[in-house]
């Protein structure tokens, strides 16, 4: 059919037919899914994957492979078909189990399920943003490791995206930065099919997308016929020739191309075609094979294993020459890409902690965080910092920080006011490998980044989120800037470790834990205001890593040193707990103080340890300048929680703590009420 949008229809052939057939068959068998995008992007995929993509199906983790991101992740059967056809360990049985429990082919591409999936996509806009992060990582690592005659980091990042991705605001945040950074090895294919779930997009998406991207500083290739391999090839060549700008290739396509009665409509977007339409489509595209059957000659045409092995072998030979010329750089590159920390890391952390304990500083934990960065970063060249226009407040800069620019690499990223984009870009950086990103904003504005934080936890990526100004202690900026529920809700994200340190020592330990953690992200919550140093034994310093520990036992002079109650606290409220303990001791009440900088880590400890910190039968009181509900799992319904279950006010911090009743006196009264 000839589209009213002047889109040239495909010339069908068995090569692209395989994609269309697998997409419609898998969606039909699952009785759910999105056949439209795979069928509409078959020609684009064929040109890229068969003629340009540098990858090795036998080694999906080859360091210098091109990265491919399907940002329009609902079209997941496209990438599953491509991975299967090109020779990845994704057998046809897994495609038959599309969207079924424990298959490697879930409804949206999920990182860690099928080999070759570079990132989890589905929440629209985040795939392109992850890709910006991958391209940025390539740029930074190339600047650090490449030497004349030895271009060891030299690959492209390719993205497929649709109208939905471009409607999401995060695409603006990320693509604006991609242009500013001059990410010339980033190539995005825009599947311009004029359809979203609700129908033709003319009523809700009329942006001049090419002009938008030109304004970002991208090279834009307009009006490419997305079903014409010759036009697609020419556009790709033009994109790769421009190494100074990222490229957007605007491909005019027909959604569901090949389904004769449903193509070019929302009917083909997110539902099975149905048996009758599939039969008609098979005839229409000339695919005379039963479901899930791919002829041997089609497999042979797609098979990328021999070519991929050759490409990697060439790179390995080049790397051997690189190692001979630059042995230290080669060893460092291998360490970094393997995600391993330096051999002397543990000893270095121990030395840092010893200095912190010796200094015994009373400072804001945001400053303690900066000191930790200053201490750890020189040993960790992979540490890549950044802040959403708050470097001077988050205190994320250190003496060796060098800003990334269009013309240079570096180890610090100025993200501007782009919290969501920042967090999702950093996810892409982490997924690329070779760098450990940390990002920063006020804790309150974790809300802007929330879905990217969730995606980091879902994918179990190594990412560090620095959140400062962690309570009403922010003070005069008022309730818009004062986090109340944020720490609690971050703790609720599965696989997210949240730390809220009370002083310099806990801050240094929290940072070490976050850096060392390979299986998920960490949120570090720091204070604006100064917090007193807490004295500890060496055993107590070691116990910080357990997430919760006895900071101060009941005084021996009161009740024979046997605690009558336990006070739990985090962050700035640990000082209140310590003051309450002293007052209660003077009144003849023996109380244990437990510092719990990370409830998530504490919850993973064995039952015996948790019981040693929180003995059964002892009344408990918790205090934290935030919502109270989460603490009842530690204090029980008979315990008390001192916190704040309403929004804040604008006033100096000290006044606010008194106004909201988050004081040592309130803790004392709470303890007495539970005895």
């Amino acid at each position: 059919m000839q589209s009213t949008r002047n889109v040239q229809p495909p010339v069908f052939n068995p090569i692209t037919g395989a994609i269309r057939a697998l997409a419609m068959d898998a969606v039909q068998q699952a009785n759910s899914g999105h056949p439209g995008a795979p069928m509409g992007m078959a020609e684009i995929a064929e040109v890229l994957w068969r003629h340009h993509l540098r990858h090795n199906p036998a080694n999906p983790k080859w360091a210098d492979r091109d990265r491919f991101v399907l940002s329009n992740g609902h079209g997941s059967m496209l990438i599953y078909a491509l991975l299967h056809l090109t020779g990845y360990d994704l057998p046809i049985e897994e495609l038959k189990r599309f969207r079924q429990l424990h298959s490697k082919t879930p409804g949206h591409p999920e990182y860690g399920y099928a080999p070759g999936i570079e990132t989890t996509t589905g929440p629209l806009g985040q795939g392109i943003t992850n890709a910006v992060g991958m391209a940025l990582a390539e740029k930074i690592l190339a600047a650090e490791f490449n030497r004349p005659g030895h271009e060891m980091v030299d690959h492209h990042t390719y993205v497929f995206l649709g109208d939905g991705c471009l409607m999401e605001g995060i695409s603006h945040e990320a693509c604006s930065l991609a242009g500013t950074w001059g990410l010339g090895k980033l190539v995005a294919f825009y599947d311009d099919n004029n359809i979203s779930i609700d129908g033709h997009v003319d009523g809700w998406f009329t942006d001049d997308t090419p002009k938008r991207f030109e304004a970002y500083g991208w090279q834009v290739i307009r009006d490419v016929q997305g079903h014409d391999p010759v036009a697609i090839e020419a556009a790709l060549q033009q994109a790769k020739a421009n190494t100074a700008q990222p490229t957007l290739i605007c491909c005019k396509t027909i959604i569901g191309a090949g389904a004769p009665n449903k193509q070019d409509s929302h009917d083909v977007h997110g539902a099975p075609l149905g048996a009758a339409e599939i039969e008609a489509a098979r005839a229409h595209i000339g695919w005379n094979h039963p479901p899930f059957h791919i002829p041997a000659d089609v497999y042979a045409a797609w098979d990328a294993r021999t070519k991929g092995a050759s490409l990697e072998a060439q790179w390995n030979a080049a790397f051997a020459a690189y190692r001979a010329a630059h042995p230290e750089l080669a060893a460092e590159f291998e360490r970094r890409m393997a995600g391993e920390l330096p051999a002397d890391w543990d000893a270095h952390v121990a030395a840092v902690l010893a200095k912190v304990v010796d200094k015994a500083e009373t400072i804001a934990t945001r400053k303690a965080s900066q000191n930790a960065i200053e201490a750890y970063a020189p040993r960790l060249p992979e540490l890549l910092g950044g802040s959403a226009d708050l470097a001077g407040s988050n205190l994320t800069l250190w003496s060796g920080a060098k800003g990334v620019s269009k013309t240079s690499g570096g180890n610090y990223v100025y993200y501007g006011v782009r919290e969501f984009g920042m967090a999702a870009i950093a996810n892409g950086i982490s997924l690329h490998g070779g760098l450990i990103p940390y990002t920063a904003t006020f804790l309150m504005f974790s809300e802007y980044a929330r879905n990217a934080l969730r995606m980091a936890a879902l994918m179990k990526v190594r990412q560090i989120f620095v959140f400062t100004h962690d309570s009403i202690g922010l003070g005069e900026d008022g309730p818009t800037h004062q986090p109340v529920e944020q720490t609690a809700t971050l703790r609720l994200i599965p696989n997210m470790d949240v730390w809220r340190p009370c002083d310099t020592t806990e801050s240094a330990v929290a940072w070490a834990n976050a850096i060392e953690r390979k299986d998920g992200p960490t949120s570090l919550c720091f204070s604006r205001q100064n917090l007193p140093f807490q004295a500890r034994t060496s055993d107590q310093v070691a116990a910080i890593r357990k997430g919760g520990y006895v900071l101060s036992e009941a005084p021996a002079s009161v009740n024979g040193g046997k605690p009558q109650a336990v006070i739990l606290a985090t962050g700035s409220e640990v000082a209140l707990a310590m003051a309450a303990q002293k007052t209660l001791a003077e009144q003849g009440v023996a109380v244990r103080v437990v510092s719990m900088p990370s409830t998530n880590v504490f919850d993973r400890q064995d039952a015996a340890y948790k019981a040693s910190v929180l003995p059964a039968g002892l009344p408990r009181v918790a205090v934290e300048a935030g919502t109270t509900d989460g603490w009842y799992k530690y204090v029980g319904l008979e315990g008390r929680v001192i916190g704040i279950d309403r929004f804040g006010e604008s006033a100096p911090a000290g006044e606010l703590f008194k106004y909201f009743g988050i004081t040592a006196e309130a803790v004392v009264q709470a303890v007495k009420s539970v005895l």
Side-chain angles (χ1 to χ4, degrees):
M1 83 175 241
Q2 180 70 42
S3 168
T4 56
R5 297 165 49 244
N6 192 33
V7 183
Q8 298 296 321
V11 176
F12 300 112
N13 61 64
I15 307 299
T16 53
I19 295 176
R20 291 186 165 96
L22 288 172
M24 60 187 183
D25 289 342
V27 172
Q28 184 70 16
Q29 180 145 313
N31 198 31
S32 73
H34 298 76
M39 297 177 75
M41 299 191 78
E43 282 74 27
I44 304 169
E46 187 270 332
V47 173
L48 175 63
W49 277 69
R50 289 189 67 231
H51 304 290
H52 291 270
L53 195 70
R54 295 176 69 255
H55 65 123
N56 182 9
N59 182 14
K61 295 297 184 182
W62 169 31
D64 201 45
R65 69 191 181 280
D66 288 340
R67 272 62 171 179
F68 174 79
V69 175
L70 184 72
S71 191
N72 47 342
H74 54 270
S76 57
M77 267 309 304
L78 176 59
I79 193 167
Y80 298 148
L82 291 166
L83 293 171
H84 171 71
L85 291 167
T86 56
Y88 284 78
D89 184 17
L90 191 68
I92 196 70
E93 286 73 23
E94 291 291 345
L95 274 64
K96 292 178 181 178
R97 297 179 62 232
F98 178 52
R99 289 182 162 234
Q100 305 310 299
L101 185 62
H102 302 316
S103 75
K104 293 181 179 180
T105 51
H108 291 82
E110 301 283 353
Y111 179 70
Y113 285 62
I117 301 295
E118 300 283 3
T119 181
T120 297
T121 55
L124 293 176
Q126 289 196 66
I128 173 63
T129 308
N130 295 162
V132 170
M134 294 173 187
L136 179 63
E138 194 273 348
K139 173 189 175 83
I140 291 169
L141 292 169
E144 184 175 356
F145 286 102
N146 289 351
R147 294 293 184 271
H150 301 280
E151 304 292 318
M152 302 320 304
V153 182
D154 183 14
H155 54 264
H156 286 80
T157 302
Y158 297 103
V159 189
F160 285 1
L161 55 87
D163 295 304
C165 289
L166 295 177
M167 287 185 240
E168 290 286 359
I170 191 174
S171 70
H172 164 73
E173 297 183 25
C175 295
S176 169
L177 280 170
T180 297
W181 294 330
L183 300 180
K185 292 180 184 173
L186 174 64
V187 180
F189 294 84
Y190 167 30
D191 181 28
D192 182 7
N193 59 36
N194 203 45
I195 296 289
S196 66
I197 292 175
D198 283 350
H200 289 81
V201 301
D202 302 331
W204 50 88
F205 186 55
T206 59
D207 302 15
D208 189 331
T209 298
K211 281 187 179 178
R212 172 184 160 190
F213 275 75
E214 286 168 352
Y216 295 151
W218 287 54
Q219 172 182 228
V220 177
I221 305 173
R222 299 169 177 249
D223 297 321
V224 175
Q225 289 293 335
H227 301 298
D228 180 356
V230 175
I232 299 163
E233 173 67 26
L236 251 174
Q237 295 286 358
Q238 184 180 339
K240 292 168 73 174
N242 185 344
T243 58
Q245 295 173 288
T247 296
L248 181 71
I249 302 175
C250 301
C251 298
K252 298 287 185 182
T253 63
I254 302 167
I255 191 170
N261 304 302
K262 293 188 176 184
Q263 64 185 17
D264 204 25
S265 75
H266 70 279
D267 294 336
V268 77
H269 177 274
L273 297 182
E277 184 69 0
I278 288 177
E279 185 178 355
R282 278 182 147 76
H284 186 58
I285 69 174
W287 187 261
N288 301 310
H289 309 287
F292 299 105
H293 176 77
I294 307 294
D297 60 331
V298 176
Y299 271 130
W302 274 106
D303 194 342
R305 289 173 292 184
T306 301
K307 182 181 177 183
S310 176
L311 287 169
E312 185 175 357
Q314 293 171 32
W315 185 87
N316 287 337
F319 193 83
Y322 177 68
R323 190 195 310 277
H326 306 282
E328 292 182 1
L329 278 174
E332 179 71 0
F333 181 81
E334 289 181 311
R335 177 188 74 78
R336 299 254 301 265
M337 292 306 295
E340 301 297 333
L341 294 173
D344 64 346
W345 173 252
D346 290 346
H348 181 64
V349 171
V352 169
L353 284 173
K355 288 180 182 177
V356 169
V357 170
D358 187 58
K359 279 185 123 176
E361 291 180 293
T362 291
I363 55 177
T365 51
R366 62 171 174 157
K367 180 60 181 176
S369 167
Q370 185 180 43
N371 291 346
I373 297 169
E374 187 71 47
Y376 294 141
R379 295 293 180 94
L380 288 175
E382 60 263 50
L383 205 58
L384 178 69
S387 174
D389 204 47
L390 286 169
S393 293
N394 299 144
L395 301 184
T396 45
L397 288 166
W398 61 289
S399 61
K402 180 190 176 195
V404 175
S405 73
K406 180 175 287 191
T407 57
S408 69
N411 59 10
Y412 195 86
V413 182
Y414 294 93
Y415 288 99
V417 188
R418 298 180 178 92
E419 295 87 359
F420 192 7
M422 170 179 72
I425 286 170
N427 283 343
I429 293 168
S430 181
L431 288 162
H432 181 279
L435 297 164
I436 301 175
Y438 68 88
T439 58
T441 186
F442 289 172
L443 177 56
M444 183 64 246
F445 302 126
S446 64
E447 295 295 338
Y448 279 132
R450 177 67 58 150
N451 201 252
L453 308 186
R454 185 179 188 271
M455 295 298 287
L458 180 65
M459 293 189 284
K460 302 179 179 178
V461 298
R462 192 187 222 167
Q463 230 249 74
I464 303 167
F465 304 106
V466 176
F467 297 123
T468 68
H469 300 61
D470 70 347
S471 73
I472 56 172
L474 171 73
E476 291 88 342
D477 278 336
T480 63
H481 283 53
Q482 291 166 3
V484 172
E485 75 277 23
Q486 280 64 41
T487 302
T489 56
L490 285 170
R491 289 172 179 145
L492 291 174
I493 300 175
N495 206 45
M496 175 70 76
D497 278 1
V498 180
W499 288 80
R500 188 169 182 250
C502 75
D503 69 352
T504 54
T505 308
E506 286 189 358
S507 297
V509 171
W511 259 104
N513 260 43
I515 289 167
E516 293 162 13
R517 189 177 185 221
K518 291 184 177 182
D519 59 352
T522 302
S523 291
L524 304 176
C525 304
F526 297 116
S527 73
R528 178 193 189 191
Q529 71 274 29
N530 289 344
L531 303 183
F533 178 82
Q534 303 293 339
R536 298 172 184 81
T537 65
S538 57
D539 285 346
Q540 285 175 311
V541 172
I544 296 171
R545 286 188 176 264
K546 295 181 181 291
Y549 63 101
V550 179
L551 173 63
S552 181
E553 189 55 276
S557 58
V558 185
N559 197 41
K562 296 179 180 178
Q564 296 164 269
V566 179
I567 305 173
L568 299 88
T570 76
S572 49
E573 289 67 67
V574 168
L576 300 183
M578 294 294 287
Q581 181 194 48
K582 184 173 183 292
T583 299
L584 286 162
E586 293 167 353
Q587 299 175 6
V589 180
V591 172
R592 168 185 290 186
V593 174
V594 170
S595 177
M596 197 175 287
S598 179
T599 61
N600 310 99
V601 175
F602 180 77
D603 289 348
R604 293 199 293 270
Q605 304 306 312
D606 60 49
Y609 178 77
K610 288 188 282 191
S612 73
V613 175
L614 300 174
L618 277 184
R620 302 169 190 173
V621 171
V623 54
E624 184 175 60
T627 51
T628 61
D629 280 5
W631 286 102
Y632 285 100
K633 74 175 185 178
Y634 303 107
V635 305
L637 295 178
E638 297 76 24
R640 288 283 307 280
V641 183
I642 305 297
I644 175 172
D645 289 311
R646 54 154 290 185
F647 297 122
E649 297 286 351
S650 177
E655 292 183 29
L656 291 172
F657 278 96
K658 291 176 184 175
Y659 178 74
F660 290 113
I662 305 173
T663 63
E665 293 78 12
V667 177
V668 168
Q669 292 305 313
V671 171
K672 289 180 176 180
S673 75
V674 299
L675 291 175

